[in-house]
Amino acid sequence: MLRNKKYNLLIIILGCIAAILLAQQWHYRADVTAEKRFTITAATENLIDSITEPIHIKVLLNGNLPADYKKLAIATTDLLEEFSARSNRKITVSYETPGEGLNDTTKYQLFDSLQRMGVVFERSSEIVANDNKNTEQLITPSAIVSDANGKAITVDLRSSKKVFKQYNILTDIPEEDKEATRNAAEALLEFKFANAIDKLTRKRVPTIAYVVGNGQPIDLTVNDLGESLRNDYRLAIFDLKKGYPQANQIDALLIVK
């Protein structure tokens, strides 16, 4: 009987060891949330699967944050954990509170350097309930995505548009719905990080052609459109009347009006 107990214990121990080794080789995450918070799109999965070189993401939205920004920080962490797991840890993530522990001079130099990289800063004011004092806090809702060669792209974690509560346009002063604004920001996180990773890892620059020849605007009203694309894509003009350049050289057509 004692021998059988020892034998069963040995089997259990060996089974546990095997399970641990298997878990190290095979990773699975189940998304059981109703809104599928941890489910990334097939396009993002394919992008992550194609990564061959290390990518590091430094999240600067960190520390003791107001409630609305805390929610955005948690959503960012959840998404990047999924990215890291999917990539078999080719994507690594770190969290940093800029300027923490630095003297004023060094902190100013750091903030200036970060701002030049495109990092955004916000000041948040809130009244502390205990002593009824107004406190200000500097928040950095940004992340820096970089490759092994040091090339970096800054990601603004905020939504580009504010959402306002319902109001009477004649009598009321618009009041921002901070929760709705942060929810809009959360919805854009996957695209923003995937877009940054794509720019760092792609082997060729796609060509976007602006279609003309059928009444499309060609004046300064579309100048901003071209400028916003110029840094990320090769731009061309596709004249419908001339068929130039060749269609097989174009990855996407931009048709306005």
Side-chain angles (χ1 to χ4, degrees):
M1 182 67 68
L2 182 60
R3 180 178 297 177
N4 288 339
K5 287 182 178 180
K6 288 182 177 180
Y7 181 71
N8 291 337
L9 180 61
L10 179 61
I11 292 177
I12 293 173
I13 293 173
L14 291 176
C16 291
I17 294 174
I20 292 172
L21 292 175
L22 182 61
Q24 292 176 342
Q25 299 296 322
W26 182 69
H27 186 83
Y28 178 76
R29 292 163 68 95
D31 187 355
V32 296
T33 59
E35 65 275 22
K36 297 299 179 184
R37 288 181 59 194
F38 308 121
T39 300
I40 57 179
T41 63
T44 301
E45 289 181 347
N46 292 335
L47 171 66
I48 294 174
D49 292 343
S50 68
I51 294 175
T52 57
E53 299 295 329
I55 295 290
H56 182 69
I57 302 176
K58 181 189 294 184
V59 179
L60 304 179
L61 185 62
N62 192 43
N64 185 23
L65 300 167
D68 57 330
Y69 270 116
K70 186 67 175 178
K71 186 171 180 289
L72 179 60
I74 292 172
T76 302
T77 298
D78 290 340
L79 176 70
L80 295 181
E81 284 182 356
E82 188 68 24
F83 274 35
S84 181
R86 178 79 191 189
S87 70
N88 291 322
R89 309 304 170 185
K90 287 189 180 71
I91 297 176
T92 56
V93 186
S94 63
Y95 300 87
E96 180 179 304
T97 304
E100 190 173 51
L102 300 179
N103 59 48
D104 290 343
T105 302
T106 308
K107 187 183 297 186
Y108 174 82
Q109 292 173 345
L110 173 64
F111 287 172
D112 182 63
S113 175
L114 291 174
Q115 199 165 28
R116 291 174 184 274
M117 293 177 63
V119 171
V120 293
F121 297 88
E122 281 192 1
R123 287 196 176 276
S124 174
S125 298
E126 62 179 353
I127 297 177
V128 181
N130 295 336
D131 51 17
N132 202 32
K133 289 183 178 179
N134 186 40
T135 61
E136 275 200 352
Q137 180 181 3
L138 187 65
I139 300 172
T140 320
S142 300
I144 300 173
V145 185
S146 56
D147 62 13
N149 298 318
K151 183 180 178 181
I153 295 175
T154 300
V155 175
D156 186 345
L157 303 179
R158 306 169 302 172
S159 173
S160 59
K161 294 183 179 180
K162 292 183 178 181
V163 181
F164 294 93
K165 297 178 180 178
Q166 290 186 350
Y167 64 97
N168 188 314
I169 60 173
L170 297 177
T171 59
D172 297 340
I173 298 175
E175 181 183 354
E176 182 186 0
D177 187 335
K178 289 187 176 181
E179 182 178 359
T181 299
R182 299 295 173 253
N183 288 340
E186 289 179 34
L188 293 171
L189 288 175
E190 179 184 338
F191 166 76
K192 289 182 176 181
F193 281 110
N195 187 45
I197 292 172
D198 177 57
K199 290 177 183 177
L200 288 175
T201 59
R202 63 189 181 188
K203 300 296 188 277
R204 58 182 291 272
V205 180
T207 297
I208 294 180
Y210 182 81
V211 172
V212 298
N214 191 34
Q216 287 78 15
I218 55 174
D219 54 16
L220 292 178
T221 59
V222 293
N223 185 62
D224 285 347
L225 181 61
E227 290 300 319
S228 65
L229 296 172
R230 189 178 305 279
N231 293 331
D232 301 323
Y233 304 96
R234 295 175 59 204
L235 293 182
I237 300 296
F238 185 80
D239 193 329
L240 292 172
K241 296 178 180 178
K242 299 179 181 179
Y244 177 83
Q246 295 180 6
N248 60 9
Q249 297 176 349
I250 301 170
D251 297 288
L253 283 175
L254 188 59
I255 305 174
V256 177
K257 295 186 178 180

